[in-house]
Amino acid sequence: MLEENANRHPKKTAVLYDTFAVNYKDLFDDVCNKAIHLQRFPGKRIAIYGPASYRWIVNMLGIILAGKDAVLVDFFLPQEMRSKVLKKIGIDYILSSTNQYILADEEAIIIANADKDDVAGLDYNSKTAEGNIIMFTATADESDKAVVLTPANLLNTVNAISSHCPCDENDKVLSQIPLHHIFGLVYSLLWPLTCGACVCVGRGLRHIDADTYYYHPTILPGSPSMMEYLKKVKAFNKELKRVLIGGASCPFRLFEYLKDQDLCVYSVYGMTESSGCIAVNKDMDGSYEIYSGTNVELARDGEILVSGPCVMEGYDKDEEGSRTILKNGVLHTGDYGRFNHHGRLVLTKRNPGILLLPTGEKISRKIINKEITDLNGIAESYLTVFEDKLISVIVPIEKGGNPDRFKRQIDRYNKKVGYRWEIQKVVVLDRPLPRCGDGSVDEEAIENLLIKEM
């Protein structure tokens, strides 16, 4: 893909980062040189974390072309949690912005001579078997589950998007969402690069409301929360033509508002395990058209089953977990739906074990509930999302406990897990959690309780 565009659009700008512009030929050369440099080192897995930048893009693509696995890690993950995650999957090296992306060992100590990346006179062997990408997601039973995706998985998604949403060398795509998320990686980086478009790398959260007017993009991928914010501050530039919303379900009112701005709006349904590729919606009825090449069926209970080249290779180092969700090559999503009379997919229920935030973050409800309940003085807890806020409803062991005490405990917990799972409100009950006849927490009763509280 990179070589083809280097030949087709050699002088066309591929990546624009602030005032730094790189054309497709130079991007290809930089990635190949990085791959040659990394091939000097025997390890197979390289973790990369840092804010989005041209250097991050070159390193990530270079890892894959070197035939190694790129492990994409959240830059804002607290160091203790990051170390735990990386130790679990096993890595050989680290590339991070902290050491200016010089190859380091698993303890982040720079390797001798790794800073000497002069590869003059050496050529990249195009027959090198490309490495995989490992990304993290939440499941009903684990907070950071490692998903193994192949280059074929990702390029399939890229081709599927192109069959529904136009993008070409005249487009500028603004990349503001994290590239360690499947939606950010595919929809705001790999897809536009495949189409010969210009990828404009966002300059960080501080500039999120100004980047649209700075870069003048024609295509803008983003999460629902990001789009809501841009809507609030009126940050949609006049050159913008198409908006892609993913990572979480797009609220109808947001979809309607964007449509009223004469924008083509695409709401994407996908998950990391399906390479971000299941279905897309661009109509007001909210129903989804299945992506080309993806097969979707419904189980007897309405669970959405997905098969085709989008389906992941499996969970890393977890054959049992892979067999549970992948049965004969069919992905059991845990989401539920139906087909309407036009044959389009209608989502009726998302996986109850996973909380999907408007930011695109996924949370394992069972794991977080257990961690909160394990805090001193708490008998039981329940995590939920209400009015776009992550809320923990807790029942103290002793009635009449001081709510401020539990708030302080949750604040300390937030610091431990980082911003992505920050619990924004604590509701203390003086009675047990309401439950249904089967013993599960009554979500409707919880919602009614929160309506009164808020």
Side-chain angles (χ1 to χ4, degrees):
M1 176 266 286
L2 292 171
E3 185 175 24
E4 182 178 335
N5 277 325
N7 292 329
R8 185 184 300 174
H9 314 289
K11 298 301 182 182
K12 171 78 171 57
T13 299
V15 179
L16 179 61
Y17 181 42
D18 203 348
T19 59
F20 181 66
V22 180
N23 63 43
Y24 270 97
K25 183 183 184 306
D26 289 342
L27 170 64
F28 180 59
D29 290 343
D30 287 346
V31 171
C32 287
N33 288 340
K34 178 58 67 172
I36 295 169
H37 171 65
L38 294 175
Q39 285 176 331
R40 294 169 169 171
F41 303 89
K44 174 66 176 173
R45 286 190 165 176
I46 303 178
I48 177 170
Y49 48 88
S53 66
Y54 177 70
R55 186 173 289 184
W56 188 99
I57 293 170
V58 168
N59 276 283
M60 186 273 295
L61 294 172
I63 293 170
I64 298 170
L65 263 64
K68 303 180 187 297
D69 295 338
V71 182
L72 309 188
V73 185
D74 184 351
F75 176 60
F76 292 103
L77 199 63
Q79 192 274 333
E80 182 180 342
M81 292 188 68
R82 182 169 61 234
S83 297
K84 183 178 178 181
V85 166
L86 294 180
K87 184 176 182 180
K88 181 178 179 180
I89 68 167
I91 59 162
D92 299 295
Y93 307 111
I94 289 173
L95 286 169
S96 73
S97 57
T98 304
N99 57 26
Q100 295 300 301
Y101 295 107
I102 299 172
L103 204 64
D105 64 18
E106 59 182 0
E107 301 297 329
I109 298 174
I110 294 176
I111 295 171
N113 297 318
D115 57 333
K116 299 176 181 178
D117 57 358
D118 181 14
V119 295
L122 300 177
D123 293 321
Y124 173 72
N125 182 359
S126 60
K127 294 182 180 180
T128 302
E130 295 176 347
N132 295 324
I133 285 185
I134 298 176
M135 311 185 82
F136 297 94
T137 190
T139 66
D141 298 309
E142 192 170 327
S143 292
D144 288 295
K145 195 76 165 178
V147 175
V148 181
L149 300 175
T150 66
N153 288 145
L154 300 171
L155 290 177
N156 170 77
T157 300
V158 164
N159 292 330
I161 304 164
S162 296
S163 66
H164 290 267
C165 180
C167 177
D168 58 36
E169 61 269 19
N170 297 311
D171 282 304
K172 297 175 74 175
V173 181
L174 178 54
S175 175
Q176 289 183 314
I177 39 185
L179 296 177
H180 64 269
H181 284 176
I182 186 66
F183 184 72
L185 179 70
V186 174
Y187 288 79
S188 67
L189 179 63
L190 298 182
W191 173 52
L193 286 181
T194 302
C195 298
C198 172
V199 174
C200 306
V201 180
R203 298 172 297 167
L205 293 176
R206 251 185 268 179
H207 301 279
I208 194 169
D209 55 350
D211 274 348
T212 49
Y213 291 105
Y214 181 79
Y215 288 116
H216 308 290
T218 58
I219 299 177
L220 177 61
S223 65
S225 63
M226 188 185 98
M227 293 298 179
E228 289 280 11
Y229 176 73
L230 295 178
K231 167 190 168 184
K232 182 179 178 181
V233 298
K234 296 181 172 57
F236 296 111
N237 58 296
K238 63 182 177 59
E239 297 87 356
L240 190 62
K241 299 175 183 176
R242 292 179 285 279
V243 169
L244 290 86
I245 302 176
S249 299
C250 177
F252 174 78
R253 288 184 179 178
L254 174 60
F255 194 96
E256 183 180 42
Y257 170 84
L258 294 171
K259 280 278 193 181
D260 288 343
Q261 306 306 303
D262 292 326
L263 293 169
C264 291
V265 187
Y266 300 82
S267 177
V268 176
Y269 169 52
M271 52 199 300
T272 308
E273 290 90 340
S274 70
S275 313
C277 176
I278 296 179
V280 63
N281 164 57
K282 56 180 181 180
D283 297 318
M284 296 294 289
D285 67 356
S287 63
Y288 291 87
E289 183 177 353
I290 308 302
Y291 272 133
S292 304
T294 299
N295 182 52
V296 174
E297 298 178 345
L298 299 180
R300 289 185 178 181
D301 61 355
E303 184 181 9
I304 297 171
L305 310 179
V306 178
S307 58
C310 68
V311 175
M312 67 174 178
E313 188 172 276
Y315 290 130
D316 185 64
K317 293 184 174 63
D318 188 358
E319 293 184 6
E320 183 178 347
S322 298
R323 284 194 299 268
T324 299
I325 194 172
L326 282 178
K327 300 175 182 177
N328 297 320
V330 177
L331 176 66
H332 290 240
T333 65
D335 296 334
Y336 296 81
R338 61 178 176 83
F339 289 114
N340 65 15
H341 61 283
H342 294 298
R344 293 166 62 90
L345 181 65
V346 178
L347 296 180
T348 57
K349 181 182 178 182
R350 300 305 291 259
N351 190 330
I354 299 172
L355 274 178
L356 194 55
L357 302 184
T359 59
E361 290 288 348
K362 295 175 70 175
I363 298 176
S364 175
R365 177 177 259 155
K366 182 174 77 172
I367 296 298
I368 305 302
N369 282 343
K370 182 181 184 305
E371 291 177 353
I372 297 298
T373 303
D374 286 345
L375 298 177
N376 188 37
I378 298 177
E380 54 181 350
S381 67
Y382 187 74
L383 196 69
T384 190
V385 176
F386 184 75
E387 294 184 348
D388 292 342
K389 291 185 175 68
L390 189 59
I391 298 174
S392 181
V393 180
I394 66 174
V395 177
I397 293 175
E398 297 181 3
K399 290 185 179 180
N402 186 352
D404 289 339
R405 169 195 172 190
F406 300 113
K407 178 66 170 61
R408 288 192 295 271
Q409 285 182 299
I410 297 298
D411 287 343
R412 288 193 292 271
Y413 176 81
N414 284 336
K415 290 181 180 179
K416 175 185 175 183
V417 300
Y419 85 100
R420 60 180 181 159
W421 298 337
E422 183 179 357
I423 296 172
Q424 297 163 293
K425 185 174 177 61
V426 179
V427 175
V428 180
L429 294 186
D430 59 359
R431 57 193 180 282
L433 292 171
R435 297 189 179 273
C436 302
D438 61 359
S440 62
V441 175
D442 188 337
E443 293 188 41
E444 185 176 347
I446 290 286
E447 184 173 340
N448 291 333
L449 183 151
L450 292 174
I451 290 173
K452 295 178 181 177
E453 286 280 337
M454 306 287 275

